[in-house]
Amino acid sequence: RCVNSCFCITSQHNVGNIAMNKKLMGLLVTFILGCSFAFSSNATLLLLTPIVFGSVEDSPPDGIGDTIVTFVPGVIDNVQSVPTRIPRITSAIVESDVSMSSGTMLKFATLDGTIFVNNALDTGERIIEILLFEGDGVLSTTDFQIPAISVGMVSYRPPTDSSLSFSLDVTDPVNSLISGGATFIGARFYALNEQAPSQLLSSTPPSLVVSAPEPNMIALLGIGFASMCFARKRIVECGSIRSCLIDPA
């Protein structure tokens, strides 16, 4: 006996019914695979310009930020002797809002920018470490020493060099921070050796460039899975010889 308001068909039509159901499932699987392909091959490229820009000074150096620099925001230096009276290390800080990527894995992320000379005094090669950390959207002295992930070192030598452009692959650390709940990601520029001031410019600040999945592709993929589950739920088995078709009413 057939149940759930379905029409019974004889065993001679069973093969055709099974073929139709297989065709339906095949179409659904094809649709879902198509969504998956689109999901994997289409992405939104986003330039995340920092909403936080500035510098924090540690003076005298003890590893703890003391002052937010207001005279030259974006400065980077490590000055231990003349012309300064008190030794200092100054780190530039930028932070970008990544809340739009919450709950998703980025296909890739880079940190792109340029460091410019502020004082061309020849103090030798200037080595600068770049680190990423979970920010809060506010510049504070704790940004100087907050735990961070090193993503690379860059170097240049004024006065021969007047600037240094860089592009670092930060996909893994950015995804790690986002999966940990970060809605802001900060970058800290730390002068590893004694060096005269360099600086970032607020007009062209270092920025995150990220590639995130298209929201509409995610929606299509969800619809595909929902359709497949719905179709499987409606197909009712009537036995080994007879099958059922869904009542169109």
Side-chain angles (χ1 to χ4, degrees), residues 6-36:
C6 38
F7 294 114
C8 292
I9 62 173
T10 62
S11 58
Q12 65 184 351
H13 297 119
N14 194 40
V15 174
N17 185 44
I18 292 173
M20 184 190 70
N21 288 334
K22 286 184 176 180
K23 183 177 181 180
L24 173 62
M25 297 304 294
L27 288 173
L28 286 171
V29 170
T30 301
F31 176 75
I32 292 169
L33 290 175
C35 289
S36 301

Side-chain angles (χ1 to χ4, degrees), residues 5 7 10 31 36 38 50 57 59 73 104 118 130 132 163 184 190-191 218-219 222 230:
S5 301
F7 294 114
T10 62
F31 176 75
S36 301
E57 182 181 286
S59 180
T104 65
N118 174 275
I130 303 175
L132 297 187
S163 65
F184 292 91
Y190 182 81
I218 298 175
F230 179 76

Side-chain angles (χ1 to χ4, degrees), residues 195-216:
Q195 56 189 267
S198 302
Q199 73 176 99
L200 309 178
L201 298 182
S202 59
S203 57
T204 56
S207 301
L208 284 173
V209 178
V210 303
S211 180
E214 287 277 14
N216 61 329

Side-chain angles (χ1 to χ4, degrees), residues 114-118 126 156 162-164 197-201 204:
T114 303
I115 298 170
F116 297 91
V117 99
N118 174 275
R126 303 184 189 186
Y156 75 129
S162 59
S163 65
L164 166 67
S198 302
Q199 73 176 99
L200 309 178
L201 298 182
T204 56

